[in-house]
Amino acid sequence: MTPLPDSFCPSDGTRVPSGSLAWCCPLCRGPLDLDFSPTPAPLKSLTGRANSLWRYAEVLPLATPSVSLGEGRTPLVALKDGISAKLDYLTPTLSFKDRGAVMLAELALRLRPSRIIADSSGNAGTAIAAYCARAALPCTVYVPFGTPSKKLEQIRAHGARVEVVRGGREATASVAREAADDPDAFYASHAFNPYFLHGTKTYVHELWEDLGGRLPQVLVVPAGNGTLLLGAALAVAELYGAGLLDRRPALYAVQAEAVAPLAAAWRAGADDLVEETPARDTVAEGIAIPRPPRARQILRAVRDSGGTFATVTEDQIRHAQLDLASRGLYVEATAAACWAAVRDGALGERTAVVPLCGAGLKSGLAAATP
């Protein structure tokens, strides 16, 4: 069995030994990173490997999977004007969160906690519930009041216990973290646990392979907790560092205008979140994160890539969701946010890929403005 890497705090350098159930830095309570710098395999060596994200074994901190559901290797289809969509809603639980959830379930199997705790606005909780079911691990998912009923139904169907918190996303995370402080609990947090990011990075490794060893000029990514964005940055660094890319793509991070703390910090030229502004309701509930724990890392990753932030209105998201549906792609509102940001030519002549991260069946079409 492959030894687990240690974790460390990117803010103060505090190290956490492998095998620990600690979910955050013991000093600052911030998220952890992995002490793990892999080298990707050359393109030609990937031929004939498993048709899942596990084909990129060299860059994964866990090997020999036992709970895989065939996650990854999702299609890439053209939209228009040099922009393509990666259909990451075509995964076992119908969202890209499967990429990270399978890593957390594999890790939990190694650590053998008494229970697994997660918090989510729906998709991450669903994915973690499914992979815990696959691994026969007990799981409790905390969700905010107002989580779409279809997502709750899916979580419960996988056998997880659902705890509905009377409050928004921040209140839900607070309750879950309190429960996760139990020394025998495993906090399957897509925001805090670095293994999740090493799952989501396979999104970019797949793009690189499917595009014949290159990447588009722009990677358009949603920015809530930033798990896909930071995973993308990890993959780009790995590929570029190994000499498998001749240039790094720009990260074009998208937030809903109603909840855009990262975009506000970006406009202010800040390295971290600036003064808190009241969040409003948004149909893109999956990226409605008022205080993402990895804000500093997200802002730095976008800046280092030469990218930028964009915000989209509720009407833009709704129109983008309908536009994608008219093209045969039925996704949830959150998944339409990236297309909303670029479909009218914001990227000019540059090539780009947008992720379609969650299926429309999870929450239906966003209601029209009254």
Side-chain angles (χ1 to χ4, degrees):
M1 187 175 288
T2 308
L4 298 175
D6 289 345
S7 299
F8 68 94
C9 175
S11 296
D12 57 37
T14 300
R15 297 188 68 83
V16 175
S18 64
S20 170
L21 286 172
W23 60 267
C24 64
C25 172
L27 294 182
C28 71
R29 302 274 295 179
L32 299 170
D33 284 347
L34 283 188
D35 186 2
F36 181 62
S37 301
T39 300
L43 191 64
K44 289 182 180 178
S45 71
L46 299 175
T47 303
R49 293 194 181 190
N51 193 35
S52 71
L53 62 80
W54 296 95
R55 70 196 282 111
Y56 310 107
E58 288 85 354
V59 298
L60 297 176
L62 293 164
T64 59
S66 58
V67 300
S68 175
L69 292 167
E71 55 287 331
R73 299 297 293 146
T74 54
L76 183 66
V77 301
L79 287 176
K80 69 170 188 177
D81 302 330
I83 302 177
S84 297
K86 188 159 173 60
L87 312 190
D88 245 31
Y89 66 94
L90 298 180
T91 57
T93 76
L94 307 181
S95 92
F96 87 98
K97 298 289 176 62
D98 290 353
R99 294 181 182 274
V102 68
M103 301 299 292
L104 296 190
E106 290 287 350
L107 178 60
L109 274 177
R110 298 272 193 104
L111 302 181
R112 288 293 174 185
S114 62
R115 61 182 180 140
I116 295 171
I117 303 292
D119 62 275
S120 168
S121 59
N123 285 340
T126 294
I128 290 163
Y131 284 94
C132 283
R134 180 76 165 172
L137 295 168
C139 177
T140 300
V141 181
Y142 292 82
V143 300
F145 182 78
T147 296
S149 61
K150 288 294 182 183
K151 293 182 180 181
L152 296 179
E153 179 183 324
Q154 196 176 2
I155 293 169
R156 290 188 176 109
H158 291 308
R161 177 183 172 187
V162 174
E163 294 283 352
V164 179
V165 177
R166 290 279 174 178
R169 192 65 187 81
E170 289 291 289
T172 303
S174 178
V175 172
R177 290 166 197 166
E178 185 176 348
D181 281 335
D182 179 336
D184 216 21
F186 176 85
Y187 186 26
S189 170
H190 53 296
F192 275 78
N193 195 304
Y195 280 83
F196 199 93
L197 305 181
H198 284 272
T200 61
K201 74 182 180 184
T202 58
Y203 170 92
V204 167
H205 282 283
E206 288 176 19
L207 282 180
W208 173 78
E209 182 183 359
D210 289 343
L211 294 173
R214 59 186 178 85
L215 288 174
Q217 291 168 292
V218 179
L219 293 172
V220 187
V221 280
N225 274 311
T227 53
L228 184 57
L229 186 153
L230 292 172
L234 276 173
V236 169
E238 290 168 358
L239 292 165
Y240 188 80
L244 298 173
L245 281 177
D246 57 5
R247 57 165 179 77
R248 299 172 187 247
L251 295 174
Y252 193 83
V254 180
Q255 294 207 285
E257 189 179 86
V259 187
L262 293 162
W266 181 264
R267 288 192 295 268
D271 293 331
D272 204 344
L273 298 179
V274 292
E275 228 175 275
E276 199 166 338
T277 55
R280 307 190 306 274
D281 289 341
T282 175
V283 294
E285 82 279 347
I287 53 173
I289 310 297
R291 297 196 63 80
R294 294 185 184 268
R296 291 182 66 88
Q297 290 177 280
I298 295 167
L299 290 162
R300 185 171 63 248
V302 175
R303 188 172 292 114
D304 289 349
S305 77
T308 191
F309 278 81
T311 59
V312 288
T313 67
E314 299 302 289
D315 280 345
Q316 284 178 304
I317 295 170
R318 293 185 181 96
H319 293 156
Q321 187 186 27
L322 288 171
D323 182 50
L324 287 168
S326 75
R327 299 166 186 266
L329 303 167
Y330 186 44
V331 300
E332 62 181 345
T334 299
C338 287
W339 180 233
V342 301
R343 74 186 185 106
D344 292 328
L347 299 178
E349 300 295 318
R350 290 180 292 174
T351 59
V353 172
V354 299
L356 301 184
C357 297
L361 294 175
K362 284 176 167 281
S363 51
L365 285 171
T369 304

